[in-house]
Amino acid sequence: MEGNMMTTLNLVLMGLPGAGKGTQAQKIVDEFKIPHISTGDIFRAAMKNGTEMGIEAKKYIDQGNLVPDSVTDGIVEERLSEDDTNAGFMLDGYPRNIDQAHALETMTTKLDKSINAVINIHVDPAVLVERLSGRFICKNCGATYHKLYNPPKVEGTCDVCGHHEFYQREDDKPETVKNRIAVNTKLNTPLIDFYNEKKLLYTVNGDQDINDVYKEIQKVLRAI
Ligand code: AP5
Ligand code: MG
């Protein structure tokens, strides 16, 4: 690669529920200006709009289970076919099982795009419940906060857009959270092995200050 030309960033961000994928994704987007593709966000938007896909997805999401691959893979392929992903993209929360990882390989090959880094945000599962129960989100722009670890600079006002209304996610109820963590923990290890073997995996310590996590991610992204 010559001079200041940068590799196109085609990233996957993985990590258990509450690991900080969305929080770090926001920072990556601000710095690297690549589209943020969060399957969770896509499902929540569809649920809010009451679309057929949203109604279907809700059955699984409310229980903390995975939406079937047949639905999820199609959504990602459609999104990766859009032109704005040609100059890079960041997947957040996809793939989440080994079949999705294979599906992603098939679609990126077809679309002539290849993943160049998988960033795994590693956090001890013991801290995840507390993170999710303290999370709140701006109703207007979706910016994510935590009542203890990441409150807005001015109480009750979103740092990003200045709005004053926030909500908590339906699936952040303690019972659902437990199942989400259990489901994802089981699926995570084979995925980690898969990307490790492909030499694409970069694990960062997600159990430190949000800005320090980001510094580790920046190091990875500048090295590729
Ligand atoms: P999704 O929306 O992706 O949820 P998730 O994977 O459970 O992850 P979260 O969004 O809850 O956590 P996060 O890692 O983004 O953490 P955040 O940055 O918000 O998926 C939801 C559901 O959709 C799934 O359960 C499934 O049903 C379905 N779905 C989605 N993708 C699918 C797929 N591929 N296949 C099938 N089904 C799918 O941070 C959490 C909190 O911690 C915040 O309050 C934040 O402020 C705080 N925080 C963040 N970092 C730190 C830090 N370093 N220190 C202290 N606090 C921190
Ligand atoms: Mg998220």
Side-chain angles (χ1 to χ4, degrees):
M1 195 101 348
E2 59 177 86
N4 56 5
M5 239 174 68
M6 230 181 83
T7 314
T8 306
L9 290 178
N10 295 340
L11 307 176
V12 168
L13 211 51
M14 63 178 281
L16 293 175
K21 301 183 292 295
T23 301
Q24 298 300 328
Q26 197 47 59
K27 293 179 175 293
I28 295 170
V29 166
D30 284 348
E31 182 172 350
F32 296 93
K33 318 284 178 214
I34 50 178
H36 173 203
I37 307 172
S38 157
T39 40
D41 287 350
I42 294 171
F43 289 136
R44 279 184 291 279
M47 293 192 296
K48 193 172 159 203
N49 294 329
T51 67
E52 204 178 310
M53 185 266 280
I55 292 165
E56 174 69 9
K58 191 174 176 2
K59 293 186 218 159
Y60 301 91
I61 293 175
D62 282 356
Q63 306 294 319
N65 293 323
L66 293 201
V67 176
D69 293 348
S70 54
V71 177
T72 312
D73 293 340
I75 287 169
V76 174
E77 179 158 11
E78 214 171 278
R79 186 64 188 83
L80 288 181
S81 305
E82 286 175 37
D83 286 345
D84 67 331
T85 62
N86 291 342
F89 57 84
M90 174 180 42
L91 292 165
D92 158 359
Y94 181 93
R96 233 173 249 250
N97 62 31
I98 202 74
D99 289 340
Q100 291 183 5
H102 290 138
L104 177 61
E105 266 200 333
T106 306
M107 57 183 105
T108 48
T109 303
K110 192 165 122 192
L111 295 166
D112 201 19
K113 294 171 175 166
S114 61
I115 300 297
N116 40 35
V118 175
I119 297 175
N120 173 35
I121 308 177
H122 177 80
V123 176
D124 190 305
V127 310
L128 297 174
V129 177
E130 203 198 344
R131 283 209 188 167
L132 293 175
S133 57
R135 170 166 62 188
F136 59 95
I137 300 165
C138 173
K139 245 187 190 168
N140 181 54
C141 75
T144 298
Y145 299 95
H146 190 281
K147 62 181 182 197
L148 299 175
Y149 308 131
N150 187 26
K153 291 190 183 83
V154 177
E155 200 190 323
T157 303
C158 177
D159 294 347
V160 179
C161 73
H163 277 247
H164 302 291
E165 279 187 296
F166 299 89
Y167 72 97
Q168 286 192 287
R169 267 169 51 176
E170 277 288 324
D171 61 345
D172 280 348
K173 291 190 214 105
E175 278 317 297
T176 318
V177 162
K178 267 191 223 155
N179 190 45
R180 279 164 60 202
I181 294 172
V183 166
N184 286 283
T185 301
K186 205 175 103 203
L187 298 170
N188 223 23
T189 314
L191 265 187
I192 287 175
D193 293 345
F194 179 81
Y195 284 121
N196 214 356
E197 244 162 65
K198 293 191 173 293
K199 307 245 181 301
L200 288 175
L201 189 79
Y202 299 86
T203 297
V204 300
N205 173 14
D207 203 353
Q208 52 182 336
D209 183 87
I210 290 171
N211 291 316
D212 293 330
V213 179
Y214 190 57
K215 280 185 197 145
E216 278 197 36
I217 292 177
Q218 281 176 313
K219 262 190 220 155
V220 171
L221 296 184
R222 292 196 176 128
I224 62 173

